[in-house]
Amino acid sequence: MLSRFSNFFTQRIKRGLVRRLNNLKIAYVAKLVTRHSPPPSGAPIVFFKASTGIDDLSWNSGFHLLASWAVRLKGIPVAYFACHSGMSHCVLGTNRDEVRQAPPCKSCIYQSRTLYTGIQVDKYTGKHINWFSFDRDKELERALENLPVDELSKFEWSLKERPVIASEAKQSHTTLEIVSSQQALLALTVPLGALCLPGLRWILRIHHLNDDESTRYLLREYILSAWNITQKFSTFLDETNPRAVVVFNGQFYPEATARYIAQKRGLRVITHEVGLQPATAFFTDGEATAYPIHIPDEFELNDEQNAKLESYLAKRFQGDFTMAGIKFWADMKGLDETFLQKAAGFKQIVPIFTNVIFDTSQPHANTVFEDMFDWLDLTLEIIREHRETLFVIRAHPDELRVRKSSRETVEGWVSSRSVDQEPNVIFVGPRETLSSYELIRKSKFVMVYNSTIGLEASIMGAAVLCAGKARFTQYQTVFFPQTVVDVRRKMKEFLDAEGIEVPAEFNRNARRFLYFQLFKTSLPFGDFLEPSVRTTQTRLKTFSLEKLLESEAVKVILDGLLAGGDFLLKE
């Protein structure tokens, strides 16, 4: 026990020292950027990220910083919108066990001031960074006071009348109604509850919210904070009149609110997230978490590209991969004799791959079912009707990630419904390292909600029945029925069929999509960022500003921001 505590404090001290050294390096490079940037001209680009990194440099904070530095070094003005205790409760600063605990604003502001060293006032453009504070709206607070969670989740509020100037930018990827220059913000009703819901579910690690005072309090405070951002960001846009807005993720309420307001004005909004490869970023005009990718119809993988993809898949199938600094399969195990003996007593095997609650709770995921557990309940009915089939329910290992463990889990669903007592069910918990790929090879077909394993199974040649909208369902890669009735019908059809014919385009599209994710959309920043003490955090490498501007990732981002490019790497 003493050894564990000693190791904990040693790691904490090491993290603190590394963070301090990293901040000194960031501040030094930031001053160099200010000194070597040419006089800015033209409309600025707005950068805003309030939901990634508090007292350390997260990967997305690193992408945000490097991209904005590159823009400034090209002589384009950058306007930062930065939080200075601007929310009563932010997503990352929420303690889900003590929801009334104040967020760690002091350390967060210190970190932000480090990132934006030397740019508080720019001699060419005046105010270059806007620190927004929090002003509580008493009228809104009274309107929220006695509402239950369900009504808070759907709550909308209108802006006071104030004219806006709409940008001439086109928004071909969104169906949002654009506010014209003749209209007033009075006509704009902001869906504050809906904007706050994804972040609330993410931080609480639960999809079905409890209607208790703790949840109501947190949602009220999020709504009040989102309204404050609505007003402050609207004023900020009036003052800056930017050509584009860049935000992290676009799902948590600070950035989601800014994105909503900017798009209503007709402004172009770019979101970014971590890419599929280590130390890579994904930038898009759409929703980064939905991963929109345009693959030309004529694109086919050549021999060299196929070899690159096969090399990646060979490692992936052995568990050798990371996502956002996390390695899930450090010790992947094959199917043991006990499993094989039980499976021999059944006609066929059907694995069911689930996902983590903060991926399945994204608004764009649940287009067929209300949520993943709704799908699992239907699946349980089918399981009980088909005793000849062995169903293997696989919980995602990220359910129990340190500091991010889910509160509403597949493991909990299995326990509450005694699913593991069903004679034709094997439950593989999140701690178990059984190889999903060996399981797929022995399956009749594969069932997924919206997990990436569905894409990989399709590449392996398996028939995949998908129930939630996933990144890869934007192309024909899997069977994806569009109603609950059709999902049930397809399950029974597959279970009763002698064989399942998989359209050839599923495998083709799956390979093309994964190739684009890996080698076209994942913009490499490994020359400038490396894992920190915690691999989910990063630190700055030593590099020259010339090297930054010459990097392929930065060239792609600059082309995307300044020339309307597609944010794809060239080959």
Side-chain angles (χ1 to χ4, degrees):
M1 181 67 72
L2 184 61
S3 175
R4 286 175 59 191
F5 276 113
S6 176
N7 185 58
F8 170 79
F9 284 113
T10 299
Q11 286 295 100
R12 189 170 182 177
I13 292 170
K14 184 178 180 181
R15 278 190 64 216
L17 288 173
V18 170
R19 182 168 61 243
R20 176 62 177 160
L21 290 172
N22 193 38
N23 282 342
L24 289 171
K25 181 179 283 188
I26 291 170
Y28 172 75
V29 179
K31 291 176 182 177
L32 288 180
V33 171
T34 299
R35 188 181 308 149
H36 293 284
S37 294
S41 62
I45 295 177
V46 164
F47 279 78
F48 176 42
K49 61 105 207 161
S51 302
T52 177
I54 288 183
D55 59 358
D56 214 334
L57 189 69
S58 68
W59 286 99
N60 273 298
S61 290
F63 304 146
H64 162 99
L65 189 62
L66 291 167
S68 67
W69 281 351
V71 171
R72 292 167 56 201
L73 287 167
K74 283 294 185 180
I76 307 299
V78 167
Y80 295 98
F81 189 66
C83 180
H84 193 284
S85 301
M87 297 168 275
S88 67
H89 288 276
C90 62
V91 179
L92 283 192
T94 296
N95 182 335
R96 66 185 187 182
D97 297 314
E98 299 289 341
V99 296
R100 292 178 183 271
Q101 179 178 306
C105 292
K106 184 177 179 180
S107 59
C108 186
I109 293 170
Y110 172 80
Q111 183 68 20
S112 294
R113 288 193 182 280
T114 298
L115 300 184
Y116 306 137
T117 296
I119 56 169
Q120 310 298 31
V121 176
D122 186 277
K123 64 181 180 180
Y124 300 105
T125 61
K127 185 158 57 174
H128 212 97
I129 181 169
N130 185 291
W131 295 99
F132 69 95
S133 58
F134 179 66
D135 295 312
R136 187 173 292 270
D137 189 307
K138 296 297 184 182
E139 182 182 355
L140 175 58
E141 189 171 33
R142 286 191 293 270
L144 299 171
E145 189 174 8
N146 298 313
L147 297 182
V149 165
D150 181 58
E151 291 186 35
L152 288 169
S153 300
K154 297 178 288 189
F155 186 84
E156 298 181 345
W157 196 248
S158 296
L159 286 161
K160 295 177 181 179
E161 186 170 5
R162 184 163 57 83
V164 295
I165 304 300
S167 167
E168 295 178 358
K170 303 286 186 181
Q171 287 287 80
S172 58
H173 61 278
T174 179
T175 58
L176 286 173
E177 178 185 356
I178 304 302
V179 177
S180 73
S181 58
Q182 286 76 35
Q183 292 174 306
L185 279 175
L186 180 63
L188 179 60
T189 298
V190 184
L192 296 172
L195 291 171
C196 293
L197 208 52
L200 182 68
R201 282 174 166 156
W202 183 87
I203 194 61
L204 294 180
R205 297 297 191 273
I206 190 169
H207 181 85
H208 297 97
L209 298 169
N210 298 318
D211 192 8
D212 53 34
E213 180 50 30
S214 292
T215 306
R216 290 192 295 270
Y217 168 80
L218 197 54
L219 186 47
R220 287 196 302 266
E221 294 302 310
Y222 279 11
I223 289 173
L224 285 162
S225 299
W227 178 245
N228 181 64
I229 290 171
T230 298
Q231 295 177 302
K232 300 291 175 66
F233 194 68
S234 295
T235 301
F236 175 65
L237 293 180
D238 287 342
E239 295 172 347
T240 55
N241 193 23
R243 69 176 77 187
V245 175
V246 180
V247 299
F248 157 67
N249 188 284
Q251 286 296 315
F252 292 167
Y253 81 80
E255 294 84 1
T257 302
R259 180 173 184 260
Y260 183 87
I261 296 302
Q263 286 189 327
K264 283 293 187 177
R265 289 170 171 247
L267 289 169
R268 184 181 178 215
V269 181
I270 295 93
T271 62
H272 65 87
E273 255 290 0
V274 292
L276 202 61
Q277 297 268 43
T280 64
F282 172 59
F283 280 68
T284 176
D285 281 282
E287 294 184 52
T289 55
Y291 229 96
I293 300 176
H294 172 66
I295 304 175
D297 293 339
E298 66 276 9
F299 173 76
E300 298 291 347
L301 272 67
N302 59 33
D303 290 344
E304 183 181 352
Q305 291 166 333
N306 272 311
K308 283 175 68 176
L309 184 59
E310 288 301 326
S311 177
Y312 169 84
L313 289 170
K315 294 179 180 179
R316 177 98 182 183
F317 292 162
Q318 295 299 316
D320 185 11
F321 65 93
T322 62
M323 273 297 292
I326 297 293
K327 186 167 185 176
F328 296 114
W329 307 105
D331 184 25
M332 188 181 287
K333 297 178 181 177
L335 306 178
D336 60 24
E337 193 60 34
T338 302
F339 177 92
L340 295 174
Q341 286 180 2
K342 178 161 185 171
F346 293 88
K347 176 183 175 181
Q348 54 203 11
I349 300 172
V350 175
I352 300 169
F353 294 104
T354 61
N355 209 342
V356 285
I357 198 67
F358 45 88
D359 280 343
T360 62
S361 287
Q362 298 289 351
H364 47 69
N366 303 309
T367 59
V368 179
F369 290 86
E370 180 184 344
D371 55 71
M372 181 179 69
F373 297 102
D374 190 26
W375 167 67
L376 285 173
D377 285 338
L378 172 64
T379 301
L380 182 55
E381 294 177 22
I382 302 298
I383 288 172
R384 289 168 175 163
E385 294 172 4
H386 289 267
R387 296 301 190 188
E388 80 288 350
T389 302
L390 177 63
F391 294 88
V392 183
I393 302 175
R394 182 75 164 99
H396 197 287
D398 211 17
E399 278 197 346
L400 297 180
R401 190 202 296 191
V402 177
R403 293 178 296 276
K404 290 188 176 181
S405 59
S406 301
R407 284 183 166 179
E408 189 173 13
T409 64
V410 173
E411 193 169 34
W413 174 84
V414 166
S415 177
S416 68
R417 288 159 175 75
S418 301
V419 180
D420 52 345
Q421 301 304 309
E422 300 290 339
N424 59 331
V425 169
I426 291 178
F427 174 61
V428 181
R431 299 174 186 83
E432 298 181 50
T433 56
L434 178 142
S435 171
S436 298
Y437 305 108
E438 286 196 27
L439 194 56
I440 290 169
R441 292 187 182 97
K442 291 188 174 293
S443 66
K444 182 178 185 182
F445 67 97
V446 172
M447 292 172 58
V448 301
Y449 195 68
N450 66 342
S451 176
T452 304
I453 193 72
L455 181 71
E456 296 168 331
S458 194
I459 289 174
M460 293 172 69
V464 180
L465 182 56
C466 189
K469 188 175 180 182
R471 293 174 172 181
F472 48 84
T473 55
Q474 58 193 285
Y475 292 94
Q476 290 187 316
T477 53
V478 294
F479 294 95
F480 185 30
Q482 294 300 293
T483 68
V484 173
V485 171
D486 287 339
V487 171
R488 178 193 287 272
R489 183 183 298 121
K490 189 62 75 172
M491 281 185 196
K492 296 175 73 66
E493 176 190 323
F494 281 5
L495 287 166
D496 294 337
E498 287 300 316
I500 302 171
E501 185 175 347
V502 181
E505 62 263 29
F506 283 12
N507 180 271
R508 169 183 175 264
N509 287 334
R511 292 181 67 86
R512 293 162 75 237
F513 184 85
L514 183 57
Y515 185 87
F516 259 67
Q517 273 197 305
L518 290 168
F519 306 115
K520 301 285 280 183
T521 70
S522 295
L523 308 180
F525 279 89
D527 288 341
F528 315 105
L529 299 171
E530 62 184 348
S532 189
V533 178
R534 282 184 185 168
T535 56
T536 53
Q537 306 296 319
T538 184
R539 57 189 177 190
L540 218 58
K541 287 185 173 181
T542 299
F543 57 88
S544 68
L545 299 184
E546 290 79 8
K547 184 177 181 180
L548 178 66
L549 288 176
E550 291 170 0
S551 72
E552 287 303 308
V554 165
K555 287 179 180 178
V556 168
I557 291 172
L558 290 174
D559 181 62
L561 293 178
L562 306 179
D566 54 15
F567 297 105
L568 297 178
L569 289 168
K570 306 300 184 288
E571 292 188 80

